Amino acid sequence: MDRGADSGAGGTEPDSDVEFLRCFGRQMKLLREAAGFTQAQLGEQVGYGEAQIAAVEQGRRIPKPELIDAVDRAVGARGVLVAMKGEVAKARYPSFFRRYAELEAEAVELHAYISHVVKGLLQTEEYARAVFRMWRPLLDEEAIEQGVSARMERRKLFARRPAPLLRFVIDEHVLRRPLGGRDVWQGQLEQLLLHGYQRNVAIQIVPMEREEHAGLAGPFTLIHSKNQRRMAYMEVQDVSALYVEPRKVNPLEAAYSALRAEALTPRKSLTFVEKLLGEL
């Protein structure tokens, strides 16, 4: 099934999610047949391929929200399929990542320390695909594409209004690792520049030459919610932890403040990324 976590980590989806997607697919098939469409005809009607319609009906593919909307209209479902969009959306992410994905989408502030791979929220489609292809055990092509689709969906946060405050502290070696090859690497660096020049986004690079480093325990994300709750999220493989207690969150906030002090300023960081691009 789908992978949404930043590392590409998977884990097995709960059986209830698999059964829900199959149930959704059967419901969609019944509505399609009642409307007198073949899979090919419905695909043509809504702008998707016959194979994709078949995969959704068989519960093998997680449909995008716009596909659900289009099918609901085409078959005259009167909102029956649209009413299930929320549950379908949850199935896009592995169970250990879902709560974080919800909090990320609603955050008013997000502060992330990145130490091994560019954070999913910042990834280009090509970089995300490369990350999923490197996961072990190997993912099949359908799972990879579903994972990429879910990750691209998260990028809607950058277009949200009012705009959230987004800060990212990234270790230099993350930007020097050419995951996916030169072209993919270059595209990812260019994407970071585009985000970094947005007024609500700050990207800071921690140079490898620093003799002190407050992030040796690994990556983490600090989340500030609209109701002023301060939380912290950490993830390793398919194991994650979401902290809401001050005794857990406060030390990570202190570590993040130290990391920002150790990093280049946002302006110098963008100049650093531009220099990396010039070296390619």
Side-chain angles (χ1 to χ4, degrees), residues 215-246:
L216 298 182
F220 58 88
T221 301
L222 302 171
I223 310 153
H224 296 183
S225 70
K226 56 187 175 183
N227 61 1
Q228 300 186 339
R229 292 185 69 192
R230 304 167 79 90
M231 295 164 281
Y233 174 81
M234 293 190 293
E235 172 194 313
V236 178
Q237 299 290 342
D238 59 353
V239 177
S240 67
L242 179 67
Y243 297 122
V244 296
E245 306 92 344

Side-chain angles (χ1 to χ4, degrees), residues 1 17 36-37 47 50 53 61 69 72 86 115 120 129 134 143 154 161 188 191 196 198 220 233-235 245:
M1 301 304 294
D17 292 329
F37 289 122
E50 178 181 359
I53 298 297
R61 190 176 184 88
D69 290 337
D72 193 279
S115 64
R129 187 171 287 108
M134 293 172 196
R154 289 169 59 195
R161 295 295 180 269
Q188 182 60 67
Q191 173 99 320
Q198 292 179 260
F220 58 88
Y233 174 81
M234 293 190 293
E235 172 194 313
E245 306 92 344

Side-chain angles (χ1 to χ4, degrees), residues 3-11 117 123 131-132 135 139 151 235 237:
R3 275 77 177 165
D6 290 337
S7 63
V117 64
Q123 291 177 8
V131 170
F132 284 118
W135 186 249
L139 305 176
R151 190 155 294 179
E235 172 194 313
Q237 299 290 342

